[in-house]
Amino acid sequence: MRTEEPRSVRLADYRPPDWLIERVDLDVSLHPTASTVRATLKIKPNAGGTPAPLVLDGDDLKLSALALDGKPLAAGSYVAAPDRLTIAQVPNRPFTLEIETIVDPTANTQLMGLYRAGATYCTQCEAEGFRRITYFLDRPDVMAVYTTRIEADKAEAPVLLSNGNLVASGDVPDTSRHFAVWHDPFPKPSYLFALVGGNLACVEDAFTTMSGRKVKLAIYVEPGKEDRVPYAMDSLKRAMRWDETAFGREYDLDIFMIVAVSAFNMGAMENKGLNIFNDKYVLASPTTATDTDYAGIEAVIAHEYFHNWTGDRITCRDWFQLCLKEGLTVFRDQEFTADQRSRAVERISDVRSLRSHQFVEDAGPLAHPVRPEVYREINNFYTSTVYEKGSEVVRMIRTLLGPALFRQGMDLYFARHDGQAATVEQFVQCFADVSRRDFFPQFMRWYSQAGTPDVKIAPHYDARAKTFTLDITQTIPATPGQPDKEPMVIPLMFGLVGANGADLPLVANGRPLERGVIEVTRPHQRFVFADIAERPVPSVNRGFSAPVKLSLPLEPDDLRFLAAHDADSFNRWQAVQTLAMSLLKSNVAALRAGAPLREDDGLMAALGAVLGDATLEPAFIALTLAPPSEADIARELGGDVDPDAVFAARRRLRAAIGTRHGAALAETYRRMITPGPYRPDAQSAGRRTLKNICLDLLATTETSESIVRAFAQYQSADNMTDRMAALDTLAQHDRPERAAALADFYQRYAGDPLIIDKWLALQAAIPEPATLDRVRDLTRHPAFSMANPNRIRALIGSFAQANHTQFNRADGAGYAFVADVVLALDPKNPQVAARLMGAFRSWRALEAKRRAQAEAVLRRVAAAPALSRDVHDIVARTLAES
Ligand SMILES: [Zn+2]
């Protein structure tokens, strides 16, 4: 715990390390409460470094022995504090340091460093967890070759794993213990170290790489869960093949291992050769996992695997460069999913997520650049800005260069920086070199300037001159610490759609438009297209080529035309969203003023046309039928937000769709029922998604028939997707069927925590006043535990992040409840506590009464004694006047 004002770390202060560690020999003897860690470090002065005292990082460590070049150090020659080991005098030449520490994995509730997930020993070292295992230069630019010997009781931990290849194993003579030695030949930073010991079942497979090497694949899970592994294994093999064809990247060790653990702060971790996963992202079977779970597993397995090159082989110089590995790897996993499933559906899903999370973050007090320049707690920067906007920035590089040059730039990056700890500048320089294009300094503003650019477009067609003109203005809003912004490079994919629905040829400012991309670089810019024989409809930011907020005044008729005809499927979807958002905003205002609500026949007609278009993918139709999220509507309103009015307007729109298109929805529901056993592929999943959104929209009419239909699906479902979708629909309606289904669900799945998480999350998200009491009761339910991050995220996280009306109750009780949970959790797991606190990030945009309630609760948390650095940092930034 740290009670002092936390110090800030600044990118501008970066200095190379004075010392390097070339080799690490670890000898870890596992014990539930007193594991011994003997570290032998080969240390040398860094060329150009100044001879200085050796200061190694620690966190909550207890030193039990210390020797330099084999000789124990005298008591007065070093200072071993829990957070630092300082040796005043070390030789100015290579030397060996032996450090022995004792750690208690059972008492480690932070789940950082060496801890126990159930009975399994495991580690999490990113970002700064290795220093909780031994004293070290715990920074990513110190890369070493690791050899790890693990010893444990055979009965307690028959399986012993670490990074790299297994080089020795055996029994420890005359004891009940055994050992394993692992060697990882690839130098790596300490955050990629991993160790696992436990009683685990293993599912094995093999993969032959493009150069013909055979790699053993092993996925370790709790015994009895082996039948839930095949989809993860299949995803892994597809990811390995895809990285070879899409990026030319081949796997490099003899074995690739994944271990699923039940207590994990994040989704998964890309430790070299030994990925450790939240079991939520490994385990799936038709009766235990939904289509969303399957898609999540495929994406996360791929993401962590892709890190082997973008993160492990080329790592980050410092934590400010986090987006170098995360933004790039998210881009790679999104591309993988687009290739495996449907490009159009993946893009729309990614943008929906970007708008509901990253745009919201970017518009509030926690806004920060993709590459922050200062942090107080790095754990708080694993954000949607670093990950998702970071991916968008890489995508823009590809849009600007085209796919062939982009691939050349990536090849150069891999060739030039393999084995290094790199920076964002070095990454971008590779694309500058292959394209001879100038990315510095203007493009780099995507990394340094926070805030979502506002792009306003005034279109004008001159029938006599046969020209079409776009006047484009860009502004970037002020964000914390950044009052003034410079113009950005904004690549807008663009088309002019003619009356027959086909794109017109484009000649802009005298030149043919290359790949259909307009590059906006100035605050105000005009583009004139010549020889446009008829009035076209502009389709701008196709494929969401730039992560901007676009204002383009199009008539509703033009939007309906784009919804029906645009060659770009993203903008077909967007046209319907734009119509819906406009209706929702005006109805939110009407609800608050007590004025009559507007209906939009045009929107209904557009939805009807999409619903009836048999050429469209079912998953695309389903996305089009879903109105903008509550978070997205609130962000569009910008200020004085009343979450009840937002919810009511959205519910009214859904009910209007359910009523107006009842017959077509019922017919589609029947048509999308697929006979035969469950299959998790994208087409089958898309049909289920559409079927279940029809079920849900039909139920908004509150007819008995629609509720009975949902209950019947709940009871007869032969897979978790259909059962869960029906339960989700029933949860929205206070009918006897809801209570019956919820009780039945618990009965069926009581022994399976991952499934019960769905039951917890769904109840926490019910948008009605009784929910807070229900959630309070559930915190005392035997299925809930404050020691497990998945349970906390399912119940408390779902209430705080997904239930906008009840978290934002006008009486402030929702805020007070979440704050109490945060304060209770903070001493045990500050990282997860700080994440929950992020739910307050939009408090300034609320209407006055709720804003005052939220502020009072925030100030109460800020004033609490002994806050962790994690929560303190989030609360201080959330409250700061920007
Ligand atoms: Zn990652």
Side-chain angles (χ1 to χ4, degrees), residues 241-249 332 335 339 407 411:
R241 190 62 74 212
W242 184 88
D243 211 14
E244 294 184 342
T245 50
F247 284 95
R249 297 299 103 199
R332 277 151 54 70
E335 284 299 294
D339 284 344
R407 173 67 194 269
D411 288 349

Side-chain angles (χ1 to χ4, degrees), residues 126 268 270 303-304 307 310 325-326 329-330 333 387:
E126 187 178 2
E270 70 264 24
H303 177 96
E304 306 306 331
H307 268 313
T310 51
K325 76 176 177 78
E326 293 305 343
T329 305
V330 170
D333 83 55
Y387 279 64

Side-chain angles (χ1 to χ4, degrees), residues 473-488:
T473 306
Q474 60 158 307
T475 49
I476 299 107
T479 48
Q482 296 188 332
D484 304 308
K485 302 288 168 72
E486 301 287 332
M488 318 273 265

Side-chain angles (χ1 to χ4, degrees), residues 601-652:
D601 290 338
L603 170 61
M604 287 300 157
L607 288 169
V610 169
L611 192 53
D613 188 339
T615 66
L616 294 171
E617 285 180 83
F620 176 87
I621 300 173
L623 284 166
T624 307
L625 289 172
S629 71
E630 288 164 78
D632 206 14
I633 301 164
R635 184 192 51 76
E636 278 281 324
L637 291 169
D640 192 26
V641 172
D642 174 353
D644 288 338
V646 169
F647 174 78
R650 191 171 183 276
R651 174 166 257 191
R652 282 286 292 261

